[in-house]
Amino acid sequence: MRWNRLFDEIEQQAIDVAAVERDALAEDLAAETWRQTSWLDLAAGFIELEVQGAGQIRGEVQSVAELLELNDGTRTIWVNPQRVLSATIAGRRRTEFAKGNWRTQLTTAFGSRVRVWTFAGVSYEGLLINLGGDFLQIAIGMNRREVLVPQTSISAVTLLETRQ
């Protein structure tokens, strides 16, 4: 009778040890998953950003690639993730978006009126007339003065009016 009780106790201790090891492994896996998670992996739904040179930008995430594409209800805004100072993300859930480069993303704004914000806080408003290898070109004002803005200095691009 005592042997049965002893074996039951040993078996229960082995089950308890296995449960502790399983829980520790689960915690390690969860921690590793977070270590490999980028903030852009969590960018889904409504998001509020503090962007260097452009200030606060809010909107619904449409896509995440080289640029973060948002819609604020009235217009489309593309944000350079490297210029984001902080983000408040509703829901924080991992999301997969199709990847693309910044030129592909801005193609929809080609020929339209845009505002380009640089990380230094300077903004230019005009027609997007060219997307180069590492710059965009906009025509400003009535005399259509052409300004080249290097891609590395862009914080955000806002689509103000689409071409007709």
Side-chain angles (χ1 to χ4, degrees):
M1 202 67 140
R2 292 158 115 199
W3 288 106
N4 286 342
R5 201 172 347 143
L6 179 62
F7 287 132
D8 288 343
E9 287 177 16
I10 292 172
E11 185 176 347
Q12 187 57 48
Q13 287 176 356
I15 290 170
D16 292 344
V17 168
V20 168
E21 289 175 354
R22 181 195 64 229
D23 292 346
L25 180 59
E27 288 176 17
D28 288 347
L29 289 173
E32 183 61 29
T33 299
W34 275 110
R35 282 191 289 274
Q36 294 177 2
T37 299
S38 164
W39 75 272
L40 290 170
D41 294 333
L42 304 174
F46 185 79
I47 190 169
E48 296 179 41
L49 304 172
E50 185 65 38
V51 181
Q52 183 181 16
Q56 283 193 340
I57 297 177
R58 299 175 182 151
E60 194 76 24
V61 176
Q62 303 299 304
S63 69
V64 178
E66 277 189 56
L67 299 176
L68 186 62
E69 183 177 332
L70 307 176
N71 187 305
D72 71 356
T74 59
R75 60 188 172 232
T76 302
I77 305 164
W78 294 274
V79 177
N80 182 344
Q82 296 175 340
R83 301 296 180 202
V84 172
L85 302 173
S86 66
T88 303
I89 303 170
R92 286 188 338 168
R93 60 191 183 277
R94 288 182 65 89
T95 306
E96 296 284 331
F97 284 104
K99 300 297 182 202
N101 67 42
W102 71 279
R103 285 181 302 282
T104 304
Q105 290 180 282
L106 291 176
T107 298
T108 58
F110 190 77
S112 300
R113 207 167 116 248
V114 297
R115 177 175 306 250
V116 179
W117 292 93
T118 69
F119 69 89
V122 177
S123 71
Y124 301 98
E125 186 177 322
L127 292 177
L128 180 60
I129 59 174
N130 199 359
L131 293 166
D134 63 352
F135 69 94
L136 61 77
Q137 183 177 12
I138 59 174
I140 298 174
M142 296 301 286
N143 61 358
R144 294 182 55 93
R145 180 175 62 103
E146 296 179 358
V147 175
L148 301 175
V149 183
Q151 187 258 341
T152 56
S153 71
I154 296 172
S155 284
V157 177
T158 303
L159 181 58
L160 300 174
E161 290 178 351
T162 54
R163 62 177 178 252
Q164 299 297 328

